[in-house]
């Protein structure tokens, strides 16, 4: 009887070559993946700093922080007392880096409003671009509160009760009635100034005026008024303000808003910028309006996008930064970052790691600027 052949103990060469392939990788300058060690105690700055080496979206968070710090350092590297040039359209001093902040209205509806207010209160950014809801919701919150609800509350039942749902937040419709009562007399006065003084109103001038009239330090646009930060909202009629303008036109027609003057003002703010940085929260109008203004200077030097848009449908909202490079909206040698995340939790953390850590420098700069000569005609 023939003996059974002894089974080979050798691993098949094809399997060994596939599984045990040698690496051709130089790790000399590579970053090691490593997260935060809670054995070191609770240190939130160290925790957020560790995101850069954590991988996945955490690393994108870290890159976004690094990009914004580059904007800030570029802005602060020239002392304010050495800046003698002004933007002729905004009357702001031309800092070494003009920072554009674009945001969608939902971020003012939620608690990120207070983060945005902090940035403009300390004069940390140079220009805001906001959709209409992000204008009116700021003023409405000065007149009445919003409340935490739930995403799954019945729209039918809420409508019966006169309560509006914004995601998982609730806004009593009475707040909009208060807003109308506050806004209508101001619109009357604006029309009077247009007719008697030849005032040419634009969306940014309207927002500037409303920031003055609200006289409330909790307001984003109060601080934009105080620090002369222009706010552009080319679709200002697309919200409750548009409703009020519609109602006002039935009462007294004739109020005119010029959007062409505003686009000239914003584009020239980009054109005259020595360096330019874009921070864009969300997509749609604000993303394109900020980016397109920077096209006029052949691209921003720095850019951070925070949104959840994807590029498969060809939308501008979901387009990655490299697409903007192809249009000349971001410079070819820039290091732009897109963080795919909900800005309601990501952006306050970003600010904690960037602007908030430079508050003393910004405050000293703002105080120094107040003592300097204003622009002369």
């Amino acid at each position: 009887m023939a003996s059974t052949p002894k089974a080979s103990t050798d691993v098949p060469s094809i399997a060994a070559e596939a599984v045990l392939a040698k690496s051709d990788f130089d790790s000399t300058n590579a970053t090691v993946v490593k997260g935060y060690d809670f054995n070191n105690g609770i240190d939130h700055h160290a925790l957020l700093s560790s995101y850069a080496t954590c991988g996945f979206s955490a690393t994108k968070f870290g890159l976004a922080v690094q990009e914004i710090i580059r904007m800030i350092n570029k802005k602060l590297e020239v002392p304010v007392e050495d800046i003698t040039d002004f933007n002729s359209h905004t009357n702001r001093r031309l800092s070494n880096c003009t920072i554009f902040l674009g945001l969608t209205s939902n971020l003012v509806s939620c608690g990120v409003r207070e983060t945005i207010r902090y940035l403009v209160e300390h004069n940390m950014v140079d220009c805001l671009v906001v959709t209409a809801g992000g204008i009116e919701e700021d003023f409405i919150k000065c007149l009445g509160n919003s409340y935490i609800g739930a995403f799954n509350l019945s729209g039918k039942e809420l409508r019966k009760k006169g309560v509006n749902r914004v995601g998982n937040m609730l806004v009593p419709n009475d707040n909009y009635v208060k807003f109308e009562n506050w806004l209508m007399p101001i619109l009357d006065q604006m029309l009077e100034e247009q007719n008697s003084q030849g005032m040419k109103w634009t969306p940014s001038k309207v927002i500037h005026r409303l920031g003055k009239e609200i006289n409330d330090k909790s307001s984003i646009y109060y601080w934009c008024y105080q620090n002369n930060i222009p706010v552009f909202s080319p679709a200002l009629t697309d919200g409750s303000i548009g409703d009020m303008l519609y109602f006002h036109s039935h009462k007294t027609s004739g109020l005119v808003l010029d959007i062409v003057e505003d686009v000239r003002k914003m584009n020239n703010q980009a054109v005259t910028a020595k360096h330019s940085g874009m921070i864009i929260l969300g997509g749609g109008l604000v993303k394109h309006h900020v980016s397109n203004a920077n096209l006029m200077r052949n691209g921003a030097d720095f850019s951070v996008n925070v949104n959840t848009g994807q590029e498969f449908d060809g939308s501008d909202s979901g387009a990655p930064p490299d697409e903007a490079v192809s249009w000349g909206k971001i410079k070819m040698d820039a290091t732009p970052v897109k963080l795919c995340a909900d800005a309601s939790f990501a952006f306050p953390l970003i600010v904690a790691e960037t602007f908030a850590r430079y508050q003393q420098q910004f405050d000293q700069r703002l105080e120094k600027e107040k003592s300097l000569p204003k622009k002369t005609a």
Side-chain angles (χ1 to χ4, degrees):
M1 182 175 179
S3 60
T4 304
K6 186 177 180 181
S8 174
T9 58
D10 294 333
V11 175
S13 59
I14 188 171
E17 291 170 3
V19 175
L20 305 175
K22 291 192 65 176
S23 299
D24 182 11
F25 175 71
D26 184 1
S27 63
T28 305
N29 298 313
T31 300
V32 175
V33 175
K34 187 177 182 181
Y36 182 71
D37 185 350
F38 283 96
N39 286 313
N40 295 326
I42 300 175
D43 182 333
H44 292 101
H45 172 55
L47 170 62
L48 293 175
S49 296
S50 75
Y51 278 23
T53 60
C54 192
F56 304 136
S57 291
T59 292
K60 283 297 186 79
F61 174 93
L63 292 173
V65 166
Q66 293 169 18
E67 181 77 347
I68 291 175
I69 287 175
R70 283 191 283 270
M71 292 185 207
I72 293 171
N73 286 334
K74 183 60 68 173
K75 173 181 277 293
L76 297 179
E77 75 179 11
V78 177
V80 67
E81 58 268 30
D82 292 346
I83 300 172
T84 57
D85 293 333
F86 288 78
N87 181 287
S88 60
H89 293 268
T90 65
N91 292 331
R92 282 181 64 82
R93 290 181 187 273
L94 286 175
S95 74
N96 201 44
C97 183
T98 299
I99 299 180
F100 295 83
L101 175 61
L103 59 135
T104 47
S105 64
N106 55 329
L107 298 177
V108 179
S109 299
C110 73
V112 178
R113 174 197 184 223
E114 280 64 40
T115 302
I116 305 301
R117 189 266 307 145
Y118 167 81
L119 294 177
V120 295
E121 177 184 353
H122 297 278
N123 203 32
M124 293 170 167
V125 297
D126 300 279
C127 171
L128 262 61
V129 178
V130 190
T131 49
I135 304 299
E136 63 214 21
E137 287 293 329
D138 178 67
F139 298 121
I140 289 169
K141 282 187 170 184
C142 296
L143 305 172
N145 293 323
S146 299
Y147 303 91
I148 296 296
F151 284 103
N152 62 350
L153 295 179
S154 167
K156 179 179 178 180
E157 294 305 314
L158 289 173
R159 182 61 179 168
K160 289 178 181 178
K161 297 177 180 179
V163 178
N164 305 292
R165 182 171 66 83
V166 183
N168 62 350
M169 298 174 295
L170 302 176
V171 186
N173 207 60
D174 288 348
N175 290 7
Y176 292 92
V177 176
K178 295 174 184 176
F179 181 58
E180 179 181 8
N181 293 337
W182 175 74
L183 182 60
M184 283 300 184
I186 300 173
L187 295 180
D188 288 340
Q189 182 61 35
M190 287 169 51
L191 179 59
E192 168 61 25
E193 293 173 18
Q194 175 185 293
N195 292 337
S196 64
Q197 303 173 24
M199 178 66 177
K200 295 182 179 179
W201 291 103
T202 68
S204 67
K205 290 177 183 177
V206 171
I207 298 163
H208 186 78
R209 176 63 169 271
L210 297 182
K212 174 184 178 182
E213 296 289 345
I214 197 66
N215 195 28
D216 187 324
K217 291 183 178 181
S218 72
S219 165
I220 294 170
Y221 307 111
Y222 166 84
W223 287 107
C224 288
Y225 166 75
Q226 290 293 330
N227 291 328
N228 193 29
I229 298 171
V231 183
F232 298 103
S233 185
L236 187 63
T237 57
D238 186 31
S240 183
I241 290 181
D243 299 342
M244 299 306 111
L245 289 169
Y246 171 70
F247 295 154
H248 187 266
S249 71
H250 282 276
K251 175 186 172 185
T252 312
S253 63
L255 185 62
V256 176
L257 304 185
D258 182 359
I259 62 172
V260 177
E261 182 179 329
D262 263 6
V263 76
R264 176 181 172 86
K265 183 186 293 185
M266 181 173 171
N267 285 358
N268 278 327
Q269 193 172 10
V271 168
T272 59
K274 299 185 179 187
H275 298 88
S276 173
M278 305 189 300
I279 303 171
I280 306 174
L281 312 176
L285 182 148
V286 299
K287 183 172 183 282
H288 187 265
H289 206 58
V290 173
S291 300
N292 201 68
N294 278 273
L295 166 62
M296 301 299 155
R297 65 184 306 278
N298 201 28
D301 300 279
F302 312 98
S303 177
V304 170
N305 293 342
V306 182
N307 64 56
T308 56
Q310 300 297 314
E311 65 175 320
F312 65 86
D313 59 0
S315 67
D316 182 72
S317 296
D322 193 58
E323 184 173 308
V325 173
S326 78
W327 286 89
K329 298 170 183 175
I330 299 174
K331 290 192 179 297
M332 289 186 286
D333 60 352
T335 55
V337 180
K338 174 178 177 177
L339 172 61
C340 193
D342 174 2
S344 70
F345 75 78
F347 191 60
L349 297 177
I350 289 173
V351 170
E353 286 299 288
T354 55
F355 291 101
R357 302 187 70 80
Y358 288 80
Q359 181 181 329
Q360 183 177 2
Q361 292 97 310
F362 276 107
D363 286 348
Q364 291 172 347
R365 189 180 181 89
L366 181 58
E367 195 62 30
K368 180 69 175 179
E369 186 169 2
K370 290 176 180 177
S371 69
L372 296 175
K374 306 298 181 185
K375 180 185 176 183
T376 57

